[in-house]
């Protein structure tokens, strides 16, 4: 009986929160036409309604069986977590709290893009669980094998939700239906949403009114002493690079920051790999050039001769005393394992060619995305490729991506690689990624995860829009403070705002200031910060 009472109390607490939703305004203090004396939640709903805490819809109903939308769900969770509204350009009633939840990293931008249409769509169960776990139990985890065995339709889940759903099952926050199915892509009702949220709140020690952000887990080992000297300069000055703690260092163990441009896809913009083009960045202070060799979209898989184009570009950058990133640019093929055999052969061949060069950095998977997880897909891939490279080139710095287009540093932090001289990439676009991703980077650094921004743009994540110079400046200030290296997307003249060069510019004699776009002017002026 006592247990039953507690359950009532919990569910009613959640109903109370739900009732605070603007869409639920009305019916103040009244009883609801769809909440009857026989219903298990009747007493509590009536009591709370009498106390003015619970509101239903203006037609006098509460609609416990209605589907809950993304906006409603995020609002309930955010209020329950004690968050307040942020400034939002979105006029939707939930815009302010959605922005706060986004900034807190409860969900990613692409999961609920900020339009009234998407805000008002039913939220999926997998996303609801992720948001709930991020809000109340961010450190929870579970054993992959044990928990997945409980979920009959685990293969229906998108990879980015694996960890949250596994943690939710392990901690008793989520469970399956009568058939043992989780139904990750189905919607959930307002009553079910209550149950999910209240269970998570119950498991966490978070009080309803707490507004504190979850504390990052403490690193068990003290990070090595941060190097004290900060230098820029090229390969001749810095020599062989290494990673000390989270810091990229030169051969004298002094901190180094690399800055420069990424090429666009070399299958399309080979003309920007010329010596004059790359030199135009070096002359303005760049000490890094990234060579982006797409695997798909007429890239290396269909056109292996691109390996030659890549090598020539790497040689050119090295001859200009710049560090060069060899980027295996997976993108539409979101799982790096799709072409793991080709990747192994490719990296074996470039490692053979560059094993004695101090200037080469290997980036083994640009942006894993889609149905992939860090521990299940990307980490095992990375272990194989790292071992291939290390068998030939024992100590070069290797950059490793993560799911969600190389943003999932929080997943990496739970299960990092054990190899040396590894850095994890984080990619951002100023029009899409803001404070929340910077916080994620800070959390990663605090957990001894080295971060390298091998790709970023002044535009939004499509490569267009903006340019967002104010936000880009915030990013560069943040990167400078943390001595994080970067490469900007991209050195080309494609008609998109992230391109550094104006369309059709004659670059045979180098790139002049007036051939730079707004993005190019901004980025080129910050190589030597
Ligand atoms: C974009 C290019 C665009 C091209 C598209 C698909 O800017 O011209 O049509 O790729 O090939 C990334 C990727 C990078 C994207 C870029 C912008 O690594 O390849 O380039 N972006 O969308 N991740 C986030 C953004």
């Amino acid at each position: 009986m006592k247990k039953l009472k507690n359950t009532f109390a919990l569910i009613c607490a959640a109903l109370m929160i739900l009732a605070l939703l603007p869409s639920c305004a009305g019916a103040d203090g009244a009883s609801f036409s769809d909440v009857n004396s026989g219903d298990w939640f009747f007493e509590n709903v009536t009591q709370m309604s009498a106390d003015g805490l619970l509101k239903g819809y203006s037609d006098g109903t509460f609609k416990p069986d209605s589907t809950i939308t993304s906006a409603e769900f995020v609002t309930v969770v955010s209020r329950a977590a004690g968050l307040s509204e942020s400034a939002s350009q979105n006029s939707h009633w939930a815009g302010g709290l959605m922005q706060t939840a986004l900034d807190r990293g409860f969900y990613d931008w692409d999961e609920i893009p900020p339009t009234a249409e998407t805000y008002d769509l039913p939220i999926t169960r997998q996303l609801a669980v992720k948001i709930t776990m991020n809000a109340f139990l961010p450190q929870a985890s579970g054993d992959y094998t044990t928990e997945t065995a409980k979920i009959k339709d685990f293969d229906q889940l998108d990879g980015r939700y694996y960890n949250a759903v596994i943690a939710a099952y392990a901690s008793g926050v989520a469970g399956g239906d009568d058939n043992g199915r989780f139904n990750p892509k189905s919607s959930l009702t307002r009553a079910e949403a209550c149950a999910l949220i209240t269970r998570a709140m119950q498991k966490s020690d978070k009080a309803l009114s707490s507004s504190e952000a979850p504390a990052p887990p403490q690193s068990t080992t003290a990070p090595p002493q941060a190097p004290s000297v900060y230098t820029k300069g090229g390969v001749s000055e810095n020599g062989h690079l290494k990673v000390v703690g989270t810091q990229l260092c030169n051969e004298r163990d002094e901190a180094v920051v690399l800055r420069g441009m990424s090429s666009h896809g070399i299958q399309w913009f080979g003309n920007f790999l010329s010596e004059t083009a790359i030199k135009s960045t070096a002359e303005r202070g760049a000490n890094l050039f990234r060579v982006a060799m797409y695997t798909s979209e007429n890239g290396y898989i269909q056109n292996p001769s691109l390996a030659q184009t890549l090598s020539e570009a790497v040689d050119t950058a090295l001859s200009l005393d710049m560090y060069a990133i060899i980027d295996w640019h997976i993108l539409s093929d979101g799982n790096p394992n799709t072409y793991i055999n080709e990747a192994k052969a490719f990296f074996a061949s470039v490692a053979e060619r560059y094993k004695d060069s101090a200037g080469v950095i290997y980036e083994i998977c640009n942006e894993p995305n889609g149905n992939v997880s860090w521990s299940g897909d990307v980490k095992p891939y990375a272990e194989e490729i790292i071992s291939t490279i290390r068998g030939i080139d024992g100590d070069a710095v290797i950059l490793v991506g993560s799911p969600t287009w190389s943003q999932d540093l929080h997943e990496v932090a739970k299960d990092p690689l054990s190899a040396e001289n590894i850095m994890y990439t984080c990619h951002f676009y100023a029009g899409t990624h803001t404070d929340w991703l910077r916080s994620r980077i800070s959390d990663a650094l605090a957990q001894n995860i080295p971060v390298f921004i091998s790709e970023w743009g002044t535009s939004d994540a499509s490569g267009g829009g903006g340019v967002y110079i104010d936000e880009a400046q915030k990013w560069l200030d943040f990167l400078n403070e943390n001595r994080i290296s970067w490469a900007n997307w991209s050195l080309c003249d494609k008609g998109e705002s992230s391109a550094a060069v104006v369309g059709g510019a004659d670059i045979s004699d180098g790139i002049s200031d007036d051939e730079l776009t707004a993005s190019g002017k901004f980025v080129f002026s910050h190589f030597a910060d």
Side-chain angles (χ1 to χ4, degrees):
M1 188 61 195
K2 186 154 181 252
K3 197 169 167 213
L4 203 60
K5 255 188 165 169
N6 285 342
T7 313
F8 277 168
L10 271 174
I11 288 167
C12 288
L15 288 173
M16 175 190 85
I17 299 155
L18 260 185
L20 296 173
L21 292 172
S23 65
C24 299
D28 200 1
S31 57
F32 303 110
S33 58
D34 54 355
V35 177
N36 302 309
S37 56
D39 292 333
W40 50 271
F41 46 78
F42 174 78
E43 263 181 45
N44 309 71
V45 169
T46 312
Q47 181 60 50
M48 289 201 186
S49 164
D51 291 347
L53 293 170
L54 187 64
K55 292 178 180 175
Y57 289 85
S58 50
D59 65 357
T61 62
F62 181 74
K63 303 194 200 306
D65 296 327
S66 287
T67 295
I68 191 162
T69 66
S70 292
E72 289 171 336
F73 189 85
V74 172
T75 303
V76 175
V77 169
S78 304
R79 292 224 167 111
L83 305 186
S84 44
E85 294 190 13
S86 305
S88 160
Q89 287 159 354
N90 196 308
S91 59
H92 190 279
W93 63 263
L97 272 180
M98 297 292 283
Q99 186 62 47
T100 308
L102 178 66
D103 291 343
R104 288 294 179 105
F106 288 2
Y107 66 95
D108 292 326
W109 184 88
D110 63 295
E111 290 172 307
I112 317 175
T115 67
E117 240 168 51
T118 47
Y119 277 10
D120 292 333
L121 287 177
I123 194 165
T124 61
R125 301 170 88 88
Q126 59 183 3
L127 179 55
V129 164
K130 172 179 157 179
I131 290 171
T132 306
M133 295 305 282
N134 279 342
F136 301 112
L137 295 162
Q139 310 310 335
S141 62
D143 178 66
Y144 183 90
T145 316
T146 314
E147 301 310 324
T148 55
K150 298 179 192 164
I151 310 173
K152 285 230 173 72
D153 53 352
F154 187 74
D155 60 341
Q156 304 291 308
L157 210 71
D158 291 328
R160 67 200 300 183
Y161 302 107
Y162 285 0
N163 287 326
V165 172
I166 287 167
Y169 265 70
S171 51
V173 169
D177 64 13
D178 291 346
N179 301 316
R181 299 174 70 83
F182 174 64
N183 304 310
K185 292 178 181 157
S186 302
S187 57
L188 69 170
T189 67
R190 283 156 59 91
E192 286 173 328
C194 291
L196 177 66
I197 295 164
T198 49
R199 278 197 296 263
M201 289 170 71
Q202 187 187 31
K203 308 275 175 199
S204 80
D205 48 9
K206 201 174 249 310
L208 256 175
S209 59
S210 166
S211 61
E212 266 168 37
Q218 296 301 310
S219 174
T220 45
T221 50
Q225 206 66 36
S228 53
V229 183
Y230 165 39
T231 179
K232 291 177 266 193
V235 183
S236 58
E237 189 180 330
N238 292 298
H240 221 294
L241 301 176
K242 62 180 86 151
V243 182
V244 180
T246 56
Q247 181 61 54
L248 185 64
C249 289
N250 65 16
E251 60 189 13
R252 297 179 300 278
D253 280 358
E254 298 161 344
V256 177
V257 176
L258 304 183
R259 300 192 189 98
M261 293 303 295
S262 172
S263 74
H264 197 288
I266 61 172
Q267 75 273 43
W268 297 310
F269 290 97
N271 52 330
F272 281 85
L273 305 175
S274 67
E275 186 181 349
T276 40
I278 300 175
K279 194 171 176 189
S280 298
T281 67
E283 283 170 349
R284 290 166 170 98
N287 55 359
L288 174 69
F289 188 69
R290 176 187 192 233
V291 187
M293 188 180 75
Y294 276 65
T295 44
S296 297
E297 300 184 60
N298 282 323
Y300 174 80
I301 302 299
Q302 288 133 296
N303 187 6
S305 69
L306 283 174
Q308 180 60 28
T309 311
L310 171 135
S311 288
E312 284 166 17
V314 169
D315 292 345
T316 302
L318 294 175
S319 74
L320 292 164
D321 201 27
M322 302 169 93
Y323 287 91
I325 297 178
I326 294 178
D327 165 33
W328 181 255
H329 201 84
I330 65 161
L331 185 61
S332 57
D333 42 342
N335 189 334
N337 294 297
T338 308
Y339 296 120
I340 188 166
N341 293 333
E342 291 84 349
K344 276 203 246 179
F346 169 76
F347 280 108
S349 124
V350 284
E352 193 56 53
R353 180 173 176 130
Y354 293 110
K355 63 183 178 211
D356 298 322
S357 163
V360 168
I361 298 170
Y362 303 99
E363 181 174 0
I364 63 174
C365 50
N366 169 49
E367 292 185 355
N369 62 84
N371 199 17
V372 287
S373 72
W374 165 252
S375 296
D377 302 292
V378 184
K379 186 181 178 193
Y381 165 86
E383 284 168 338
E384 283 233 29
I385 305 297
I386 290 167
S387 115
T388 300
I389 295 172
R390 289 284 188 254
I392 303 164
D393 182 342
D395 51 6
V397 170
I398 299 177
L399 307 181
V400 182
S402 60
T404 321
W405 299 281
S406 291
Q407 290 161 35
D408 284 357
L409 295 172
H410 54 306
E411 302 298 343
V412 170
K414 291 179 198 159
D415 184 19
L417 291 157
S418 55
E420 302 274 292
N421 289 331
I422 300 294
M423 301 187 89
Y424 298 92
T425 60
C426 184
H427 290 178
F428 71 85
Y429 281 77
T432 303
H433 309 107
T434 56
D435 276 338
W436 62 269
L437 193 54
R438 290 191 284 272
S439 307
R440 193 176 280 182
I441 294 172
S442 300
D443 289 350
L445 294 173
Q447 293 167 78
N448 215 16
I449 299 295
V451 178
F452 194 114
I453 308 288
S454 58
E455 187 186 299
W456 72 275
T458 56
S459 64
D460 66 33
S462 72
V467 288
Y468 299 90
I469 295 300
D470 291 349
E471 191 64 35
Q473 186 62 58
K474 280 192 200 166
W475 269 106
L476 290 191
D477 292 344
F478 172 81
L479 300 182
N480 287 344
E481 271 162 33
N482 289 285
R483 297 173 173 180
I484 295 176
S485 298
W486 55 257
N488 173 264
W489 185 264
S490 71
L491 188 65
C492 77
D493 65 349
K494 186 169 175 174
E496 58 185 12
S497 58
S498 56
V501 177
V502 295
D506 174 8
I507 58 158
S508 57
D509 55 348
I511 302 167
S512 61
D513 284 346
D514 55 13
E515 285 167 332
L516 292 173
T517 59
S519 182
K521 286 196 172 84
F522 175 77
V523 175
F524 277 43
S525 70
H526 285 286
F527 292 142
D529 271 1

